[in-house]
DNA sequence: ACTGGCTCCTGAGGGC
DNA sequence: TGCCCTCAGGAGCCAG
């Protein structure tokens, strides 16, 4: 499950081998991802100017446009020796003329590889994305303003890419625990000062996870897949009935918008803050 | 404008 | 041991 931190880790790991390098060859073994894979032939011989991230999208920018890559929930990008045996679910291969070639493997095929001519931000997938959670434009104040009049649960609101991009299910759960806010609360009922704590918690959770993402980076240069360290850092996610690390109360699991949701009924009360007002400060 | 539900897909895990 | 069933999960899309 590549979340924003893993995508960022992937970006940092790939950039040195991709930026400034020409795409010398590519092959598509399975075109049917979320949308049909689209890589124009005339990209061959062109150099990647920059490898950027927007939310969970990786953008490989060329002079005339950009390749938009998304890893869905099971995708990974890794370098393998040229000519290596294809693994099951190796769908796309990109060859930048370096020692190894880049393979996209995605068992569930929720990811995508799409070409956007011209300004990449104008692509429909990117055009309506909200602010980056680790940039300054993201703030409690902005969350407060956007949430007025909204009745959806705060966790669903946080996972809305138009509100803030890149916050997936796991990090929404973890952030709300840190902020002491119950995930089921209506977003419009949350006062400004609590949104400040939520915003800080989101930043902290993502930043901490990126700092642990170095493991993932080594993973795809050394292709022995290993789960990232952040798994062991999870405070509430997938811990139903286990004791809260803060107070020992058994954690509750509910389903919100079809997604698993976990919280501590004591530290994340139905109204207001938990006993420790903010664990992210 | 919002909201909730459906959809794509496969592997993991539980039950028998 | 093995088969079958259920379900997770990002996020676009659609209907109400």
């Amino acid at each position: 499950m590549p979340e924003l931190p893993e995508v960022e880790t992937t970006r940092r790991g790939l950039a040195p081998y991709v930026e400034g390098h020409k795409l010398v060859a590519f092959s598509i073994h399975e075109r049917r991802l979320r949308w049909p894979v689209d890589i124009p032939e005339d990209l061959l011989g062109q150099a990647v100017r920059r490898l950027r991230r927007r939310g969970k999208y990786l953008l490989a920018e060329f002079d005339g446009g950009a390749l938009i890559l998304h890893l869905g929930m099971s995708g990974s990008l890794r370098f393998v020796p040229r000519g290596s045996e294809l693994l099951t679910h190796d769908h796309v291969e990109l060859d930048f003329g370096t020692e190894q070639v880049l393979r996209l493997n995605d068992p569930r095929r929720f990811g995508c590889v799409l070409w956007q001519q011209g300004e990449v931000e104008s692509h429909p997938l990117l055009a309506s994305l909200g602010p980056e959670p680790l940039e300054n434009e993201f703030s409690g104040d902005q969350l407060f303003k956007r949430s007025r009049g909204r009745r959806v649960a705060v966790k669903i609101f946080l996972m809305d890419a138009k509100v803030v991009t890149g916050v997936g299910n796991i990090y929404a759960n973890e952030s709300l625990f840190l902020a002491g806010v119950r995930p089921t609360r209506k977003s419009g009922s949350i006062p400004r000062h609590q949104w400040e704590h939520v915003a800080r918690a989101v930043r902290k959770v993502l930043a901490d996870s990126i700092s642990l993402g170095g493991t993932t980076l080594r993973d795809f240069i050394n292709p022995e897949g290993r789960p990232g360290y952040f798994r062991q850092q999870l405070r509430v996610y997938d811990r139903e009935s286990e004791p809260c690390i803060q107070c020992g109360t058994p954690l509750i699991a509910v389903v919100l918008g079809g997604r698993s949701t976990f919280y501590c009924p004591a530290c994340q009360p139905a109204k207001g803050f938990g006993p420790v007002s903010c664990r992210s400060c």
Side-chain angles (χ1 to χ4, degrees):
Chain A
M1 46 179 168
E3 297 262 358
L4 186 149
E6 250 179 88
V7 176
E8 176 60 20
T9 302
T10 298
R11 189 197 67 76
R12 293 178 187 182
L14 297 183
Y17 305 97
V18 168
E19 289 182 341
H21 292 272
K22 290 177 179 171
L23 182 67
V24 299
F26 68 87
S27 47
I28 299 169
H29 306 289
E30 172 58 84
R31 196 173 286 276
R32 296 169 303 164
L33 301 189
R34 180 79 153 87
W35 297 280
V37 172
D38 175 24
I39 306 174
E41 285 288 337
D42 59 11
L43 217 49
L44 292 174
Q46 294 193 44
V48 175
R49 295 302 172 200
R50 196 155 66 116
L51 186 64
R52 277 206 299 140
R53 179 186 59 76
R54 182 78 173 95
K56 296 179 191 168
Y57 292 95
L58 279 176
L59 311 174
E61 297 182 336
F62 293 79
D63 283 335
L67 275 182
I68 302 173
L69 291 92
H70 197 290
L71 300 176
M73 64 159 293
S74 59
S76 60
L77 286 164
R78 62 177 51 183
F79 278 108
V80 299
R82 188 174 286 100
S84 296
E85 195 182 341
L86 272 189
L87 301 178
T88 313
H89 310 304
D90 273 350
H91 304 315
V92 176
E93 178 174 295
L94 301 173
D95 185 340
F96 292 98
T98 53
E99 201 174 318
Q100 300 192 318
V101 295
L102 187 60
R103 290 248 178 97
L104 170 70
N105 184 285
D106 184 4
R108 297 195 185 169
R109 312 214 308 261
F110 280 11
C112 66
V113 181
L114 297 171
W115 171 252
Q116 166 71 6
Q117 190 74 30
E119 179 49 52
V120 65
E121 297 278 350
S122 64
H123 190 280
L125 289 173
L126 305 176
S128 60
L129 290 183
E132 287 290 324
L134 295 173
E135 302 289 328
N136 289 334
E137 46 183 342
F138 173 67
S139 69
D141 186 55
Q142 174 245 338
L143 288 174
F144 172 74
K145 285 176 178 154
R146 277 214 68 148
S147 62
R148 293 311 87 185
R150 297 290 302 271
R151 300 177 55 80
V152 279
V154 55
K155 176 167 165 268
I156 294 175
F157 182 76
L158 266 188
M159 291 174 64
D160 183 344
K162 291 192 269 305
V163 172
V164 54
T165 181
V167 180
N169 192 38
I170 292 173
Y171 292 109
N173 277 294
E174 296 296 308
S175 301
L176 290 170
F177 174 76
L178 280 194
V181 172
R182 187 172 296 201
T184 52
R185 290 183 61 190
K186 288 183 175 40
S187 38
S189 75
I190 293 174
R192 188 189 295 265
H193 69 280
Q194 285 189 29
W195 278 122
E196 298 290 347
H197 290 282
V198 171
R200 246 191 304 253
V202 167
R203 285 173 178 276
K204 176 173 168 52
V205 166
L206 293 176
D208 285 356
S209 189
I210 289 175
S211 70
L212 294 173
T215 336
T216 310
L217 183 137
R218 278 193 292 278
D219 276 353
F220 66 99
I221 286 168
N222 261 330
E224 27 181 302
R226 192 184 329 141
Y229 282 148
F230 71 88
R231 185 85 209 174
Q232 294 138 38
Q233 297 280 314
L234 300 180
R235 297 164 170 97
V236 289
Y237 184 79
D238 206 18
R239 296 192 61 234
E240 180 179 11
S241 303
E242 292 179 36
C244 171
I245 57 159
Q246 195 74 33
C247 73
T249 305
L251 299 181
I252 303 279
V254 294
V255 173
L256 276 181
R259 301 262 165 351
S260 319
T261 303
F262 304 89
Y263 65 90
C264 170
C267 294
Q268 296 164 274
K271 287 182 180 173
F273 272 111
V276 179
S277 65
C278 182
R279 283 169 289 267
S280 64
C281 308

